Amino acid sequence: MSLEERLAKVKSPNLQNQQHANVVLSSVEDTLRDQKTNITPTAYFAALLAILQQCSSAALLEANAELVTSTVYLLDLVSSYVPPPLLRTQFSQILALIAPFFVSNETGAPLLRSSLGCLESLLVAQDSAAWNLPSSQTGPRKAIPVLLTLAVDGRPKIRKRSLEALTNVLKHPPQGPALDHPVADHCASTALTSLKEAVNTASQLRKQKGRNDNGHDPFLVHALQLTKTIAAASGGWPSKKIEPLVEALMTISKSTNEYIVMGAFEVFEAIFEGMHDEISSSKLPRLLDAIADLKPAQNDSQLLPPWIAVLSRGYQLASEVSPEDTFIKLPDLFDMMSPFLSQPSHNIRVSASECLISLFANCIPRRTILEPSVYDEKVFEQLGRRASDLLSIKYQAAWMEIFRILSALIQAMRWRGSQYLLSVVKAVGELRGNDSFQGKKEADEVLGHAIHNMGPDVIFSVLPHNLDQSNDKHPGRAWLLPLLRDHVSNTRLAHFKSDLMQLSERIYQRVIDHGRAEKTARIKIYETVIHQIWATLPGYCDLPIDLQAAFDQPFAEMLSNLLYQQTELRVDLCRSLQNLVESNQAVLAAALSNEDTLYERRTTKSGAAQNIQHLARLASNLLAVLFNVYSQTIPQSRGYILECINAYLSITPGQDLVETFDRVSSALNTSLPEADDAPPPKQHQPKDKLPPTSHTLLDLTIALSTYLPGSTFPSLFSLASRILNHPTATTTDPQLIKKAYKLIARLATSEAGAAALRACNSVLQSLILSTRDKTPVPARRDRLLAIHSLISYLPTKDLHFIPSILSEVVLACKDTNQRARQAGFELLIHVTNRITDSERNPPGTVIRNNLVPHMPNDAPAALATLEEVFTMVSAGLAGVAPHMVAATVAALARLLFEFHTKLAKPVLEDLLGTVEMFLQSSNREIVRSVLGFVKVAVVVLPEELLGEQRMSRMLKGCMVWSKENKGRMRMKVKGILERCLRRFGAEIVDGWLGSDEAGRKMVANLRKRRDRAKRKKSGNSKVEDDSDEGGREAEAQKTKKTEFDNEFDEAVYGSDDDSDIIVGSDDGEQAAAEDMTGVSFKKGSTKGKTSASSRKAHHRDRFIREDASDDEPLDLLGPNALASISSRKSHPSGPGVKRKTKAKVNADGKLVFGGDPDGDGDVLMGDGDGAAESVGAVNAYVDAVDGPDAVRRGQKGKLKVGSANRKKVRASSGGGGGGGGGGVGGEKMELDEQEAREVGRRLEVGGSGRASCR
């Protein structure tokens, strides 16, 4: 930032305390102008220094404290822009003026910070001569103690400013031969002294009674911060002071206070970071030696982990500075760390293992792997011996850590480990083969790394699988095959041919010898082993290092025969062939140097290119085999074969591709039915039946099209034209038509195909227009995608093609197929963008309407503008069919949402007025689309455009359909009102509705629901903490993203209401939503799940009435089953049922056990009789509703009553008792409504009587 910019901030102060500085600055500038002096940093500096000299006396300082503070503040701003020679000459004078501020206890913090800034500028400007002056003389060395003292001050801002000044001074040493700043030693000594004093003080305080190690030690923290600052600013730490610093820091590291230990580690990190450059790195060996000399005791669980961590970080830095020297020290470091692995402390073992893992990962240079010298091989040999020693019984307690160390060492040594770590692999493998060994998972990780880096041939040399000659002396190791499958890569393919393939043949021969007899367990094991063997082939084919020698013609023929004969191996075989190509292509595409590629994948880019050329020579024959296998496979299982075909098509030479295409296209033309052939009868095609040959050949043609040269595209388009215009296929074989359209869309994915679409665009336009009326329904989506690809490369002179197909695009917006609707909406936006593309369309571009098929020859041309698109789409509103009008309104809604910001206000007003008229339509399909348009308008259009009158008319028009539930019209109207409430408020919406009482009630209901949801949300937020709230917000965002596929659906169907206003409670709303947008809601959305679960819960809440007097279970198939099923849970009732009563208590509140001759009431309410009467009344009501005498509804809504109840009715009416079958569970009788009312009345009287008697 320049001085002018910094002073400009002073001249326009934002804070009150900067007002006076502005006044002082204005005065200085006025004075300089009066003296006709150029306003320069030097002029500012001299004027401010003069002001400060005038206020130098103690009395004036106290009287003009605000003036002094502002002056020093401005002096701090200016001094860093003053020429250094001037600052050197004025050093004594300036230091004398600001020195009183540092020693006075009454100096304010703002003045002190500004004084520190002035002192910083003075010290940075000094030269070597000034720094060589002794501290007894007035010089820069005399000012350094001020910074060091204030760097541990208790005030945070003062401390921060001091540390910044100290950092800047140490980072700008004077010119000279010394590496460090002249005062770096002094600063380091002072910081070290402060650190030791802080450690001693903290130690004494910890010894006090009742104080733990987790107490706050501010002085120690400040001393650590000062030490870290000096270490970072001075390029590490002065070499002479390294040993005492390391000792002090290691002492601090024994603390259990994690913040103190972290501060000590930060100091070490700052020291290491400062030694990255070539000059400072010379201090690193001495620092590492000092750290190593302070090695704690082997059982010190407090100090050893931090010491190991610091040592690990130091050697990581050393590997970057001097990799060769660090690599030589690896065996000694291994010896230093390995004893810690035998310690009983888990923390020590883990720290030692992490250190060794870090050393192996960072300290083995790539050169030693690629081109090892004799001395490097000796180091590897020493590391191998030491790694073998770790598997001794001495380190049994640390076997988990040791396995991780071995994995890291194998990974670091890569394929060089095959010469030095075989004993380790053999020992781990023998442990893995022991059934009683508990660490099989960890051993598998070690062996997996060994297989990946050394190769399976090396592993099998010390751990043979013995699968064909297993015995007690040579145990079988079938568990190696899954390890090979998961880890083998970048190895020798010849090993698979010579070992595993031969083993598979021998085992398969045993299966064949078994014949057709019933399979025994051994035969099943053989088959499993064969599958596991071939499952390893994809790994062997992942960039094999001997591809050109191992993958020869006989091996390719053998794989081809297996593809034909062994269908269960096809997946692994196709993956293997595909890996051969794609792994080499990945090497060629990687942005790595040859050295990096050789280190990572043991090959170079030139070697990968040669491998591709070798495979290309075999590609033609392999493609023929794959084509045949593809034709013999059912469609559900063809995906992996097609991926393999695409891989080999990408490397096949152009001439071979043309010959292959000619053969396929010739066979396809032959397989197509003749024009005069009778259509085949419609039959149900089973899923496991092969499709027609024409389908398979067209699939292969589509795969070929991406890689074909340009010379074949005319015949390719001719083939597509024949299929699309085939009279039989268009009516009887829609799948063939779909694939033909996919052929056009597939071309856009390649550069050659895109060029063909540009060159043959007019031909394809004619093809699309000629097949408009011949497209079967299942092929509509693929036709739209083909048109989408064609529009992308449409020439500007052919823009008239868009209005030719626009009606079809508009109708697609109301297609019954959801994916076709989605494609229709996307194509609608795409054609609009193409018409309005200013980069491809020069100014004045027109659409020649006279070339549109349904337009007259004298039709005037129209400008290619956005308004013209809306005009062309709006033409559909004049259609006779309601379906066309509804589709047009839906298309206009989508265009309005996407381009409303680019339309002029008159166009929007005309559009709103036009669509508004269709609210008066009596056709539900049209109104559904219009309601969606209204909601889009409410969401996206500005308030001034909507207007009060227009909104009032639209809402009143919408309310006409508010009581129409068919087609979810009511839900759509509620959604519009909810959006209006969210945007405009309830009062404005009520005013728009006017006297419409139904609308006002609906608004009130929506407002209450929204307020209830807000209260519920605020209540939850008070209970949950901030982290839970953040989780809820993240979950809400995730839910919003998963519920809607795009912003348009969210705008139209999103809602803050907690009811299912938009997301309907049944499939009808889903269908209505998809009918409008063309984009269905995702099945996995949160609201969808909630709605579905609530519906299921609603249907699930059914209960069976229990009757205590009837021991028979309910017959759910009986005619009276419905009468015993209720929507609420009931309790057993009847004369033999004991009802639960409240516990009896006396007047003191104590429980009373035993009988109560005076009554059974509860004295809790003070009146036992009243309580008993209340309970009796409740029981009588329950008996009347749920008891055996209750009147229930049976099938078809008829009322049912038990025979016992019928006796009561007859007895009370004097009819005598002749009815049969008494009892609660007796027969049921049917009665009409009048009799039911009489029964209910008498039951009510009887119930109250029973209650009074009890």
Side-chain angles (χ1 to χ4, degrees):
M1 186 181 294
S2 64
L3 178 61
E4 290 76 11
E5 293 175 342
R6 300 183 69 177
L7 293 178
K9 292 185 177 182
V10 178
K11 294 176 183 178
S12 57
N14 296 323
L15 302 176
Q16 186 66 29
N17 56 4
Q18 294 179 346
Q19 297 288 346
H20 194 271
N22 183 25
V23 173
V24 175
L25 180 61
S26 300
S27 301
V28 170
E29 290 181 344
D30 292 341
T31 302
L32 293 176
R33 292 191 191 97
D34 293 342
Q35 296 176 356
K36 298 181 180 180
T37 304
N38 293 332
I39 300 179
T40 61
T42 304
Y44 278 121
F45 181 75
L48 293 171
L49 202 58
I51 295 174
L52 191 59
Q53 287 175 344
Q54 293 176 4
C55 304
S56 58
S57 63
L60 291 176
L61 284 175
E62 185 175 356
N64 301 285
E66 191 173 6
L67 175 61
V68 172
T69 301
S70 299
T71 303
V72 177
Y73 172 72
L74 295 173
L75 198 62
D76 178 20
L77 292 181
V78 173
S79 59
S80 58
Y81 299 93
V82 176
L86 178 60
L87 292 177
R88 286 197 288 268
T89 57
Q90 298 293 327
F91 178 80
S92 302
Q93 180 184 359
I94 300 173
L95 185 60
L97 291 174
I98 63 176
F101 305 145
F102 298 125
V103 298
S104 174
N105 295 327
E106 299 179 356
T107 305
L111 177 57
L112 195 55
R113 290 201 304 271
S114 300
S115 302
L116 286 170
C118 295
L119 183 59
E120 174 189 346
S121 300
L122 285 175
L123 294 177
V124 170
Q126 302 307 304
D127 55 9
S128 299
W131 285 109
N132 290 331
L133 293 175
S135 57
S136 58
Q137 298 182 15
T138 302
R141 285 182 177 271
K142 194 172 185 178
I144 288 297
V146 175
L147 296 178
L148 294 172
T149 303
L150 294 177
V152 292
D153 191 87
R155 292 166 289 184
K157 292 185 178 180
I158 300 299
R159 189 170 61 251
K160 179 183 177 182
R161 189 67 185 88
S162 301
L163 291 174
E164 291 175 352
L166 197 59
T167 301
N168 196 22
V169 170
L170 293 177
K171 283 188 175 181
H172 294 85
Q175 294 182 354
L179 297 177
D180 299 326
H181 198 283
V183 293
D185 287 344
H186 175 66
C187 293
S189 301
T190 305
L192 191 56
T193 303
S194 300
L195 187 62
K196 289 181 178 179
E197 292 177 357
V199 171
N200 295 333
T201 303
S203 179
Q204 293 175 3
L205 290 175
R206 280 195 296 270
K207 292 179 181 178
Q208 295 178 5
K209 185 177 181 180
R211 178 177 172 88
N212 56 21
D213 195 26
N214 293 326
H216 183 55
D217 299 318
F219 185 52
L220 180 56
V221 174
H222 299 163
L224 282 171
Q225 189 65 30
L226 174 60
T227 308
K228 176 184 174 182
T229 301
I230 295 174
S234 60
W237 193 259
S239 303
K240 299 179 181 179
K241 308 293 181 181
I242 286 180
E243 289 84 355
L245 173 65
V246 172
E247 185 177 358
L249 291 176
M250 296 309 300
T251 304
I252 295 173
S253 299
K254 291 192 298 184
S255 172
T256 58
N257 189 326
E258 58 181 2
Y259 299 105
I260 300 297
V261 176
M262 190 181 302
F265 283 170
E266 288 177 354
V267 174
F268 275 117
E269 185 67 25
I271 295 173
F272 291 141
E273 287 295 330
M275 295 183 178
H276 269 292
D277 58 272
E278 184 177 355
I279 298 176
S280 302
S281 61
S282 58
K283 308 175 188 177
L284 185 59
R286 186 168 182 176
L287 175 61
L288 293 177
D289 292 340
I291 296 174
D293 292 341
L294 291 174
K295 177 182 175 182
Q298 289 192 2
N299 56 356
D300 191 342
S301 59
Q302 275 191 324
L303 194 54
L304 266 176
W307 177 81
I308 293 174
V310 171
L311 195 66
S312 174
R313 179 66 182 92
Y315 276 101
Q316 180 181 352
L317 174 63
S319 66
E320 300 174 5
V321 175
S322 55
E324 301 297 335
D325 296 338
T326 308
F327 174 68
I328 295 173
K329 294 181 181 179
L330 266 183
D332 296 334
L333 294 172
F334 203 129
D335 293 337
M336 184 188 299
M337 291 295 147
S338 57
F340 299 133
L341 295 172
S342 61
Q343 295 301 316
S345 174
H346 178 71
N347 290 338
I348 296 177
R349 297 199 305 268
V350 170
S351 298
S353 64
E354 293 293 337
C355 178
L356 286 175
I357 292 172
S358 175
L359 292 175
F360 295 150
N362 298 301
C363 300
I364 298 181
R366 289 189 174 186
R367 183 201 58 77
T368 60
I369 302 296
L370 299 175
E371 299 176 355
S373 63
V374 176
Y375 198 81
D376 295 335
E377 293 178 351
K378 292 182 179 179
V379 174
F380 282 140
E381 185 178 355
Q382 295 175 19
L383 292 175
R385 287 199 303 267
R386 287 163 173 78
S388 300
D389 295 340
L390 292 179
L391 295 173
S392 63
I393 194 67
K394 176 182 178 181
Y395 302 103
Q396 185 177 5
W399 63 268
M400 291 186 64
E401 290 82 9
I402 288 173
F403 280 170
R404 294 179 58 237
I405 292 171
L406 296 177
S407 297
L409 181 58
I410 293 172
Q411 183 68 26
M413 294 179 65
R414 305 187 72 82
W415 64 89
R416 296 296 174 189
S418 60
Q419 304 175 28
Y420 312 105
L421 298 177
L422 286 182
S423 59
V424 173
V425 174
K426 182 178 181 180
V428 174
E430 291 175 350
L431 285 174
R432 171 62 175 83
N434 192 339
D435 294 337
S436 61
F437 183 62
Q438 301 297 321
K440 289 183 171 60
K441 180 180 178 181
E442 290 75 12
D444 285 345
E445 292 181 1
V446 177
L447 295 174
H449 282 90
I451 291 171
H452 180 75
N453 291 280
M454 302 181 192
D457 51 342
V458 176
I459 304 304
F460 281 146
S461 66
V462 293
L463 293 173
H465 51 73
N466 296 330
L467 291 177
D468 54 347
Q469 51 179 2
S470 177
N471 51 49
D472 294 338
K473 294 184 179 179
H474 303 285
R477 297 185 176 93
W479 47 266
L480 278 173
L481 294 178
L483 289 178
L484 254 68
R485 178 197 62 204
D486 297 336
H487 296 94
V488 67
S489 174
N490 195 205
T491 186
R492 295 175 178 83
L493 181 59
H495 174 258
F496 180 85
K497 293 173 58 180
S498 61
D499 189 353
L500 294 182
M501 192 174 72
Q502 301 298 329
L503 173 65
S504 173
E505 292 176 355
R506 293 194 296 269
I507 297 178
Y508 187 66
Q509 186 61 42
R510 298 178 186 179
V511 176
I512 294 176
D513 295 342
H514 185 72
R516 296 183 176 271
E518 183 179 357
K519 293 182 180 180
T520 63
R522 182 175 293 277
I523 297 300
K524 293 179 180 179
I525 292 175
Y526 286 158
E527 292 178 345
T528 302
V529 171
I530 292 173
H531 292 161
Q532 289 182 340
I533 289 174
W534 286 100
T536 64
L537 182 58
Y540 276 96
C541 293
D542 182 19
L543 197 63
I545 59 179
D546 58 346
L547 184 145
Q548 299 180 45
F551 193 77
D552 50 10
Q553 186 71 26
F555 185 61
E557 292 176 356
M558 188 271 299
L559 294 182
S560 301
N561 293 330
L562 288 177
L563 282 171
Y564 283 125
Q565 300 169 4
Q566 302 291 332
T567 57
E568 65 275 4
L569 300 181
R570 284 179 180 174
V571 176
D572 292 324
L573 293 174
C574 287
R575 283 181 54 211
S576 303
L577 294 173
Q578 183 179 349
N579 286 349
L580 288 173
V581 177
E582 293 183 348
S583 58
N584 285 281
Q585 289 177 336
V587 172
L588 293 175
L592 299 175
S593 64
N594 279 333
E595 182 180 354
D596 294 338
T597 306
L598 188 61
Y599 177 78
E600 296 291 341
R601 304 293 282 168
R602 300 181 67 180
T603 188
T604 60
K605 291 190 175 183
S606 61
Q610 293 175 4
N611 291 339
I612 292 293
Q613 293 176 3
H614 175 74
L615 292 172
R617 288 191 288 270
L618 302 173
S620 180
N621 294 331
L622 287 175
L623 283 174
V625 174
L626 290 171
F627 285 177
N628 292 333
V629 173
Y630 183 85
S631 63
Q632 299 171 9
T633 309
I634 58 177
Q636 294 83 354
S637 305
R638 285 178 168 180
Y640 62 92
I641 304 177
L642 195 59
E643 292 177 0
C644 185
I645 289 174
N646 282 322
Y648 278 89
L649 285 174
S650 64
I651 64 171
T652 304
Q655 184 61 34
D656 293 344
L657 280 175
V658 173
E659 295 176 358
T660 303
F661 170 70
D662 291 340
R663 291 195 298 269
V664 172
S665 60
S666 176
L668 178 57
N669 284 319
T670 305
S671 64
L672 291 176
E674 296 296 333
D676 53 353
D677 288 348
K682 292 185 178 180
Q683 297 179 354
H684 175 69
Q685 295 288 343
K687 292 184 178 180
D688 56 349
K689 185 178 179 180
L690 291 175
T693 306
S694 58
H695 292 193
T696 301
L697 293 173
L698 190 52
D699 285 338
L700 297 176
T701 305
I702 295 173
L704 277 165
S705 63
T706 309
Y707 309 98
L708 288 175
S711 59
T712 61
F713 286 119
S715 57
L716 185 65
F717 293 145
S718 175
L719 179 63
S721 176
R722 181 187 174 192
I723 295 173
L724 293 176
N725 289 293
H726 199 284
T728 305
T730 53
T731 56
T732 62
D733 198 351
Q735 294 299 321
L736 189 64
I737 305 299
K738 287 181 63 175
K739 294 178 185 298
Y741 280 121
K742 285 181 180 179
L743 178 62
I744 299 176
R746 179 68 180 272
L747 290 175
T749 60
S750 66
E751 295 181 2
L757 290 178
R758 294 189 189 95
C760 304
N761 202 282
S762 58
V763 177
L764 293 176
Q765 291 176 34
S766 302
L767 177 61
I768 292 295
L769 294 176
S770 63
T771 56
R772 180 191 313 178
D773 300 329
K774 303 176 183 179
T775 305
V777 174
R780 287 177 183 170
R781 174 180 175 269
D782 295 285
R783 174 180 169 85
L784 293 172
L785 295 178
I787 296 175
H788 192 285
S789 301
L790 196 60
I791 294 294
S792 300
Y793 304 99
L794 187 68
T796 303
K797 63 182 180 64
D798 292 340
L799 287 181
H800 59 273
F801 175 71
I802 292 178
S804 303
I805 51 93
L806 191 58
S807 59
E808 182 179 358
V809 177
V810 171
L811 284 173
C813 298
K814 289 287 289 183
D815 198 284
T816 55
N817 182 272
Q818 184 267 329
R819 299 177 69 188
R821 289 195 305 275
Q822 172 73 14
F825 279 110
E826 291 178 355
L827 181 55
L828 180 66
I829 301 300
H830 188 54
V831 298
T832 307
N833 289 328
R834 178 63 190 89
I835 289 179
T836 59
D837 189 353
S838 58
E839 296 182 359
R840 299 177 61 182
N841 300 338
T845 301
V846 296
I847 301 174
R848 295 179 291 175
N849 290 325
N850 59 333
L851 298 179
V852 180
H854 59 273
M855 297 287 284
N857 294 331
D858 57 349
L863 288 175
T865 59
L866 182 61
E867 289 77 9
E868 181 62 22
V869 176
F870 276 84
T871 302
M872 290 188 295
V873 175
S874 300
L877 295 175
V880 178
H883 184 74
M884 182 65 191
V885 178
T888 303
V889 175
L892 289 173
R894 186 68 181 91
L895 290 175
L896 176 65
F897 179 82
E898 191 74 22
F899 302 104
H900 65 277
T901 57
K902 300 178 181 180
L903 286 174
K905 185 176 179 181
V907 177
L908 290 173
E909 291 179 347
D910 293 343
L911 182 63
L912 286 174
T914 303
V915 178
E916 182 184 342
M917 294 188 299
F918 288 93
L919 274 175
Q920 311 302 325
S921 175
S922 59
N923 187 278
R924 289 187 178 87
E925 184 179 12
I926 296 177
V927 175
R928 268 201 307 267
S929 298
V930 175
L931 291 177
F933 182 92
V934 171
K935 191 168 186 181
V936 171
V938 170
V939 170
V940 302
L941 293 183
E943 298 181 16
E944 60 271 12
L945 185 62
L946 293 173
E948 182 178 354
Q949 295 181 357
R950 175 174 280 114
M951 286 301 301
S952 178
R953 291 195 306 269
M954 286 196 300
L955 288 186
K956 289 179 181 179
C958 293
M959 292 308 301
V960 175
W961 301 91
S962 62
K963 296 181 180 179
E964 182 67 47
N965 285 318
K966 189 173 182 180
R968 312 298 294 178
M969 307 291 280
R970 176 179 173 84
M971 291 296 101
K972 290 179 176 294
V973 175
K974 290 181 72 174
I976 294 174
L977 289 179
E978 193 272 335
R979 285 287 182 172
C980 291
L981 286 175
R982 189 193 307 182
R983 185 174 180 186
F984 303 107
E987 295 182 0
I988 297 178
V989 176
D990 283 338
W992 290 340
L993 292 171
S995 60
D996 191 336
E997 190 64 27
R1000 296 171 70 91
K1001 287 183 179 179
M1002 189 177 290
V1003 169
N1005 177 263
L1006 290 173
R1007 187 177 67 251
K1008 290 179 180 178
R1009 287 186 175 185
R1010 188 173 61 174
D1011 294 342
R1012 188 185 308 122
K1014 288 181 179 180
R1015 289 195 301 270
K1016 184 178 180 180
K1017 185 177 181 180
S1018 61
N1020 292 337
S1021 63
K1022 292 179 181 179
V1023 176
E1024 299 181 6
D1025 55 12
D1026 295 339
S1027 61
D1028 292 338
E1029 184 175 354
R1032 288 198 311 273
E1033 292 177 358
E1035 186 66 24
Q1037 293 294 331
K1038 183 178 179 181
T1039 301
K1040 180 178 287 188
K1041 291 180 180 179
T1042 56
E1043 185 178 355
F1044 302 104
D1045 280 330
N1046 53 44
E1047 294 180 359
F1048 177 69
D1049 288 339
E1050 183 182 346
V1052 177
Y1053 296 100
S1055 175
D1056 286 342
D1057 191 14
D1058 59 350
S1059 67
D1060 51 351
I1061 291 177
I1062 307 304
V1063 181
S1065 59
D1066 55 21
D1067 295 337
E1069 174 64 12
Q1070 177 87 353
E1074 295 176 2
D1075 187 50
M1076 169 64 201
T1077 65
V1079 183
S1080 65
F1081 297 125
K1082 294 185 178 180
K1083 301 299 183 184
S1085 65
T1086 304
K1087 285 190 178 181
K1089 290 181 180 179
T1090 305
S1091 178
S1093 62
S1094 63
R1095 293 197 300 271
K1096 290 179 181 178
H1098 175 73
H1099 291 296
R1100 208 168 38 235
D1101 292 340
R1102 296 290 184 267
F1103 303 94
I1104 297 176
R1105 301 176 187 270
E1106 298 183 40
D1107 196 341
S1109 61
D1110 190 1
D1111 294 334
E1112 293 295 328
L1114 175 66
D1115 183 9
L1116 293 175
L1117 299 179
N1120 300 323
L1122 189 62
S1124 299
I1125 297 177
S1126 173
S1127 61
R1128 63 188 183 89
K1129 192 172 183 179
S1130 60
H1131 300 283
S1133 60
V1137 177
K1138 294 183 179 180
R1139 298 188 179 277
K1140 294 181 180 180
T1141 60
K1142 296 181 180 179
K1144 302 174 184 177
V1145 294
N1146 58 15
D1148 297 330
K1150 297 181 179 179
L1151 291 172
V1152 178
F1153 298 95
D1156 186 359
D1158 298 332
D1160 57 352
D1162 186 4
V1163 299
L1164 183 61
M1165 300 300 294
D1167 188 357
D1169 294 337
E1173 184 176 353
S1174 174
V1175 174
V1178 172
N1179 291 339
Y1181 171 75
V1182 173
D1183 284 338
V1185 175
D1186 264 349
D1189 298 334
V1191 179
R1192 304 182 178 93
R1193 288 190 181 272
Q1195 293 180 343
K1196 300 183 180 179
K1198 293 183 178 181
L1199 295 173
K1200 302 280 187 178
V1201 65
S1203 58
N1205 206 353
R1206 184 175 58 186
K1207 284 184 178 181
K1208 287 184 181 181
V1209 176
R1210 290 181 178 177
S1212 61
S1213 60
V1224 176
E1227 297 178 358
K1228 308 290 183 180
M1229 69 175 183
E1230 297 184 1
L1231 66 165
D1232 57 17
E1233 295 290 337
Q1234 186 175 0
E1235 291 175 338
R1237 293 192 184 96
E1238 180 66 20
V1239 171
R1241 186 180 63 79
R1242 293 180 183 276
L1243 284 176
E1244 184 178 359
V1245 174
S1248 61
R1250 286 195 304 272
S1252 61
C1253 292
R1254 295 176 67 183

